[in-house]
Amino acid sequence: MAEGLMKKLYGQRTYVQSAGVKNDLEVDGFAVAVCKELGIELSRHRSRSFEEMQQWGDDLSGFDLVVALSPASQRQALEFTRFFHLDVEYWPVMDPSGIGETREAKLTAYRQARDQIRDRMIARFGPPPEA
């Protein structure tokens, strides 16, 4: 969700690449649904791990900032970036994956997480430019 939101809000002004602690390959269907509500297409997005980023040629030294959305991703980001001069920020965002028993309850949790990420982006990077 974070990569899609960043691209939607800030366009080509920044290079953004999503990575996680593990590679889940498929993006969660609830994340796809709540991002689609904002015109963000995630259905073709595939998640990658930090290791895959390096294997596929993304040089971590080329990044200025890593934003971690979970304690586990923060630990791994700090480990992978210890030899590079870049900042790692932790944004505590709710993990919606285990919340809610009904479809609507799950969508509500995912919307809350999506909105938390969006609000943190705007607070950190400022209002998005007018389209």
Side-chain angles (χ1 to χ4, degrees):
M1 286 195 294
E3 179 181 348
L5 281 165
M6 188 72 176
K7 288 178 178 177
K8 175 76 171 181
L9 294 176
Y10 299 99
Q12 301 299 319
R13 292 177 52 196
T14 60
Y15 175 73
V16 60
Q17 178 60 60
S18 180
V21 174
K22 58 184 179 176
N23 176 355
D24 292 325
L25 287 182
E26 297 296 323
V27 175
D28 186 299
F30 290 108
V32 172
V34 300
C35 284
K36 191 171 190 169
E37 294 171 351
L38 301 180
I40 300 168
E41 180 58 51
L42 293 184
S43 64
R44 293 185 313 266
H45 183 83
R46 298 292 176 261
S47 62
R48 321 193 291 182
S49 66
F50 286 108
E51 286 107 359
E52 285 175 319
M53 282 184 69
Q54 289 182 313
Q55 291 169 359
W56 294 351
D58 275 328
D59 182 4
L60 293 178
S61 68
F63 290 88
D64 297 316
L65 174 67
V66 173
V67 175
L69 301 179
S70 71
S73 65
Q74 179 188 28
R75 282 189 302 275
Q76 191 163 30
L78 290 169
E79 176 67 22
F80 272 97
T81 62
R82 70 182 184 271
F83 300 114
F84 303 106
H85 182 63
L86 63 130
D87 294 327
V88 175
E89 291 182 10
Y90 171 54
W91 295 357
V93 172
M94 172 185 75
D95 177 1
S97 60
I99 298 175
E101 294 187 22
T102 66
R103 176 174 170 71
E104 195 52 45
K106 288 181 180 298
L107 286 170
T108 297
Y110 275 80
R111 287 181 188 114
Q112 290 172 339
R114 175 200 66 198
D115 294 347
Q116 285 178 346
I117 295 168
R118 182 196 59 218
D119 293 347
R120 290 298 298 248
M121 284 179 181
I122 292 171
R124 173 66 166 83
F125 303 111
E130 295 298 320

